[in-house]
Amino acid sequence: MEQKTEKQTLDTNTCRSGNQCLMKQSICEHITDPAVLEYVERSRKRRIYERRDCVYNQNEEAEGIYCIQSGHLLLRHVDENDNETAFRVVGPGEIVGYRSLFANEPHAATAQAMTTAYVCFYNRTTVETMIATSTSLARKFLEVIARDPGPSDALLLRGQRPLRVRLIYLLMILRQYYGDTIKQSTDLQFSLPITRLQIAALLGARPESVTRAIKDLEHDGILIFQGKDVSIPDLDQIMSMINMDSVLKTLR
């Protein structure tokens, strides 16, 4: 289990996302009792996580709900065979930790900061108070849970896509949220903060298999690796390879 460092709790009277905070909007829309609203606001804790910090770890007890105010988190799941899958990136306005909290089960995944992230935390007692106060808010949570398949809907599915396709998909996620752009002109160049061994772990593949996939992609002129620096001559080409037209606008 990765170390989870106690994070500084910032002032609870301000919200980094202001009126754009979806969690805060929902609370204000569905709870009308001023006393309850004041209690919820006093109970909210805003924390800051630096890149690679874990907000919570898989198999830890679920203590509450986390709402991302800024930055991005990567959700990772390790199965019974110790295979690790990165299956989702969550960003501002999204909440995590609720599935395990409402199921009264340990977290099914690890949530790790991909960038510096400001996160608001609502503990179990506060969440239970909100639900008991507002049936409409409880229904809202049920809708969110019903649409969330959790780790079973992993975006990097093992064995169902060729390794080179899964590798490209992972690079696109890392480039958007993790990588430091070096150059973006006729081609795209960026630096990754993780090693090839870590890439292999995220893909559930052997390191030598990832090395071969990289060499194949370089041979085909699709991308070029130089240490942790990656160069992509034609972004549209690789996006079409993995059939991600719906994600293209987000990644640009």
Side-chain angles (χ1 to χ4, degrees), residues 2-8 10 16 47-56 70-74 111-119 177-178:
E2 297 184 51
Q3 176 115 19
K4 185 178 70 172
T5 306
E6 287 298 322
K7 291 292 140 188
Q8 178 184 7
L10 306 177
R16 190 174 178 85
R47 300 169 176 172
I48 183 171
Y49 296 88
E50 298 300 336
R51 191 165 81 172
R52 300 189 185 92
D53 285 344
C54 287
V55 177
Y56 57 78
S70 69
H72 292 83
L73 307 182
L74 179 72
Q112 185 178 35
M114 303 184 78
T115 61
T116 298
Y118 286 80
V119 179
Y177 300 113
Y178 251 155

Side-chain angles (χ1 to χ4, degrees), residues 1 56-63 77 97-110 124 151:
M1 180 180 295
Y56 57 78
N57 286 296
Q58 183 173 333
N59 296 324
E60 282 184 344
E61 178 183 357
E63 299 176 341
H77 174 73
Y98 53 86
R99 297 178 77 252
S100 300
L101 181 72
F102 293 132
N104 201 27
E105 296 177 347
H107 287 296
T110 293
R124 179 185 291 273

Side-chain angles (χ1 to χ4, degrees), residues 167-176 183-192 217 221-226 229-239 241-242 251-252:
L167 172 60
I168 290 173
Y169 187 27
L170 177 60
L171 290 177
M172 290 298 95
I173 293 176
L174 295 175
R175 192 275 295 185
Q176 174 67 9
K183 176 184 176 184
Q184 187 162 6
S185 54
T186 55
D187 61 350
L188 175 66
Q189 296 180 20
F190 57 97
S191 181
L192 295 174
L217 291 169
I222 296 171
L223 58 79
I224 301 170
F225 263 81
Q226 291 183 327
D229 295 342
V230 182
S231 177
I232 298 177
D234 189 342
L235 182 59
D236 291 332
Q237 178 188 17
I238 65 170
M239 295 303 285
M241 283 179 58
I242 53 180
L251 293 178
R252 279 197 178 280

Side-chain angles (χ1 to χ4, degrees), residues 38-225:
E38 183 181 356
Y39 165 74
V40 170
E41 183 63 16
R42 282 190 286 105
S43 302
R44 177 172 64 90
K45 305 299 182 184
R46 190 159 65 93
R47 300 169 176 172
I48 183 171
Y49 296 88
E50 298 300 336
R51 191 165 81 172
R52 300 189 185 92
D53 285 344
C54 287
V55 177
Y56 57 78
N57 286 296
Q58 183 173 333
N59 296 324
E60 282 184 344
E61 178 183 357
E63 299 176 341
I65 287 177
Y66 304 81
C67 177
I68 294 86
Q69 301 302 308
S70 69
H72 292 83
L73 307 182
L74 179 72
L75 300 186
R76 300 184 286 107
H77 174 73
V78 179
D79 65 19
E80 61 275 9
N81 298 316
D82 291 329
N83 295 316
E84 185 178 45
T85 302
F87 66 92
R88 188 174 307 157
V89 173
V90 292
E94 297 186 82
I95 58 175
V96 292
Y98 53 86
R99 297 178 77 252
S100 300
L101 181 72
F102 293 132
N104 201 27
E105 296 177 347
H107 287 296
T110 293
Q112 185 178 35
M114 303 184 78
T115 61
T116 298
Y118 286 80
V119 179
C120 283
F121 173 71
Y122 299 84
N123 64 32
R124 179 185 291 273
T125 301
T126 303
V127 174
E128 290 175 347
T129 299
M130 289 190 289
I131 291 175
T133 303
S134 172
T135 56
S136 61
L137 183 60
R139 284 196 298 270
K140 193 74 174 178
F141 277 123
L142 286 174
E143 291 174 5
V144 173
I145 295 172
R147 290 194 297 266
D148 182 6
S152 62
D153 190 33
L155 296 180
L156 300 175
L157 295 175
R158 290 183 176 84
Q160 297 199 15
R161 293 180 180 177
L163 178 57
R164 59 189 275 157
V165 173
R166 290 185 285 137
L167 172 60
I168 290 173
Y169 187 27
L170 177 60
L171 290 177
M172 290 298 95
I173 293 176
L174 295 175
R175 192 275 295 185
Q176 174 67 9
Y177 300 113
Y178 251 155
D180 298 319
T181 300
I182 299 174
K183 176 184 176 184
Q184 187 162 6
S185 54
T186 55
D187 61 350
L188 175 66
Q189 296 180 20
F190 57 97
S191 181
L192 295 174
I194 61 175
T195 65
R196 293 192 185 188
L197 284 176
Q198 292 169 319
I199 289 174
L202 286 173
L203 292 172
R206 297 173 64 86
E208 52 268 32
S209 299
V210 171
T211 297
R212 284 196 298 270
I214 290 173
K215 288 182 178 179
D216 289 343
L217 291 169
E218 288 182 324
H219 180 268
D220 294 340
I222 296 171
L223 58 79
I224 301 170
F225 263 81

